[in-house]
């Protein structure tokens, strides 16, 4: 999904922080040779795009002590964090993740942004990938390309939050702390699965999809983007922004029009199907590092009424769960990218 659609999906209004306060990252590409997916498929060369802030520091034994990995949500890219309300808040001088002190790494996950993805040319012949593949690719990027042998922190938003749980289980000794945002430590199910399945079926059952070999974006992409719009923000804010039928239709039409110009159906299809292998629940006891999970009460994708986070966090040895209440500043699922809402808990986590 494009940067534009990811921004729309987050439904976040930029703060008054000046652009000059947002650090500028260095960018690069890692080429992972002979990457083998859990599906049994492989690519001779998998590209992962990344952005970095700051420089790595090592102790006397050569271990990197200040590296931070931050992973994005479904349809997003690492670029979504380079904005006043996130990097401008956290990476600035004196910020919780001051880039003069930390080596911060933002990746474009498999199938996203400038990393290898179906729309590059393979279309529906692109290997089927899951969250475990995405985490393993991030691990190879860190160790093989950037020379990072340890992480001070792993954190992520939405899909990236889910991958943070996976990181804690697959590489339990590799990090000092974990902060999943807007996620649940359980298999995708219930309403969360239904909206994803609705989008997947709309695309796959559309005759215009043509098995992924369409020449123009299939019209089912309209349904897909409408569902994305529905799941974002929170109902109070949405009602304030679009208080009449005409204003609601205008906002929805504008969203869909922009999304149809910048979104690829195959990429979106793969991005949503990637969640099918996500299931950290059976192995939560493997997580060793201190972990603070933060959700918000107005998150339609991870509603607090389910009680999943509060129940399962008890199985994480050094785990803590926080559910922020609905306030004028929260933005539903998109609250995960407004750092001022939860940075106090990040500061607490790093103080350990």
């Amino acid at each position: 999904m494009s940067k534009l659609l990811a921004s729309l999906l987050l439904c976040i209004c930029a703060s008054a922080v000046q652009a000059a306060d947002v650090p500028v990252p260095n960018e690069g590409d890692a080429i992972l040779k002979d990457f083998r997916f859990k599906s049994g498929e492989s690519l001779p060369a998998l590209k992962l795009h990344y952005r970095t802030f700051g420089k790595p520091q090592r102790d006397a034994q050569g271990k990197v002590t200040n590296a931070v990995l931050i992973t994005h949500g479904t349809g997003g890219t690492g670029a979504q964090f380079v904005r006043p309300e996130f990097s401008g808040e956290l990476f600035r001088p004196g910020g919780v993740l001051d880039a003069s002190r930390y080596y911060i790494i933002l990746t474009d996950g498999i199938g996203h942004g400038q990393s290898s993805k179906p729309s590059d040319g393979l279309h529906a012949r692109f290997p089927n990938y899951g969250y475990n593949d995405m985490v393993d690719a991030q691990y190879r990027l860190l160790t093989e390309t950037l020379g990072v042998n340890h992480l001070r922190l792993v954190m992520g938003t939405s899909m990236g939050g889910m991958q943070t749980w996976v990181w804690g289980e697959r590489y339990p000794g590799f990090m000092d702390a974990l902060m999943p945002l807007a996620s649940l430590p359980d298999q995708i199910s219930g309403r969360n699965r239904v909206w994803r399945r609705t989008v997947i079926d709309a695309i796959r059952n559309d005759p215009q999809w043509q098995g992924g070999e369409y020449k123009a974006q299939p019209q089912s992409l309209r349904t897909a983007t409408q569902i994305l719009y529905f799941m974002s923000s929170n109902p109070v804010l949405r009602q304030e922004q679009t208080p009449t039928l005409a204003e609601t239709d205008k906002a929805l039409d504008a969203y869909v029009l922009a999304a149809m110009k910048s979104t690829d159906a195959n990429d979106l299809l793969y991005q949503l199907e990637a969640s099918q292998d996500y299931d950290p629940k059976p192995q939560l006891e493997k997580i060793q590092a201190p972990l603070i999970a933060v959700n918000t009460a107005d998150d339609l994708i991870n509603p607090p009424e389910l009680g999943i986070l509060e129940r399962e966090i008890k199985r994480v040895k050094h785990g803590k769960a926080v559910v922020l209440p609905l306030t004028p500043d929260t933005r539903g699922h998109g609250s995960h990218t407004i750092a001022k809402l939860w940075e106090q808990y990040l500061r607490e986590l790093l103080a350990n």
Side-chain angles (χ1 to χ4, degrees), residues 8 33 36 41 46 51 77 85 90 94 104 119-120 124 132 135-136 157 163 195 239 268 271 280 301 304 341 347 349:
L8 290 169
K33 301 294 186 181
R36 299 190 176 276
E41 301 164 281
L46 175 72
R51 297 164 180 83
T77 73
E85 63 270 31
L90 299 178
I104 302 161
S119 62
D120 290 340
N132 287 297
V135 168
D136 288 348
T157 61
Q163 290 173 3
W195 78 263
Q239 188 66 32
L268 178 57
Q271 290 162 3
I301 295 177
L341 294 175
R347 194 179 300 277
L349 180 63

Side-chain angles (χ1 to χ4, degrees), residues 94-258:
V96 184
L97 295 177
D98 186 334
S100 69
R101 297 176 53 225
Y102 289 98
Y103 180 46
I104 302 161
I105 302 133
L106 314 176
T107 67
D108 289 359
I110 298 173
H112 292 71
Q114 298 180 58
S115 295
S116 295
K117 55 188 180 297
S119 62
D120 290 340
L122 287 177
H123 304 156
R125 299 184 305 280
F126 193 85
N128 293 288
Y129 64 86
Y131 288 2
N132 287 297
D133 294 311
M134 298 176 84
V135 168
D136 288 348
Q138 292 160 5
Y139 179 82
R140 287 187 57 181
L141 161 67
L142 293 171
T143 57
E144 296 176 16
T145 300
L146 300 179
V148 173
N149 55 15
H150 190 78
L151 289 168
R152 178 68 182 90
L153 169 71
V154 179
M155 66 182 292
T157 61
S158 191
M159 175 183 72
M162 290 186 275
Q163 290 173 3
T164 300
W165 296 97
V166 175
W167 260 101
E169 294 181 356
R170 290 186 70 81
Y171 302 98
F174 197 78
M175 76 291 296
D176 296 329
L178 297 154
M179 190 171 190
L181 296 156
S183 65
L184 294 174
D186 199 2
Q187 190 177 55
I188 301 293
S189 59
R191 184 171 62 189
N192 197 0
R193 173 58 177 166
V194 169
W195 78 263
R196 295 167 188 265
R197 175 69 185 275
T198 299
V199 172
I200 291 168
D201 286 356
I203 295 173
R204 285 199 176 276
N205 295 327
D206 185 348
Q208 294 182 349
W209 182 60
Q210 298 179 21
E213 296 302 320
Y214 47 84
K215 302 303 180 184
Q217 295 297 331
Q219 286 301 301
S220 54
L221 192 58
R222 293 185 60 84
T223 300
T225 57
Q226 288 169 338
I227 292 292
L228 293 175
Y229 181 82
F230 177 78
M231 296 302 295
S232 62
S233 192
N234 68 49
V236 175
L237 181 64
R238 186 60 55 74
Q239 188 66 32
E240 291 175 352
Q241 294 173 336
T242 54
T244 69
L245 185 149
E247 290 173 309
T248 303
D249 285 351
K250 182 179 179 180
L252 179 60
D253 289 344
Y255 178 95
V256 172
L257 178 62

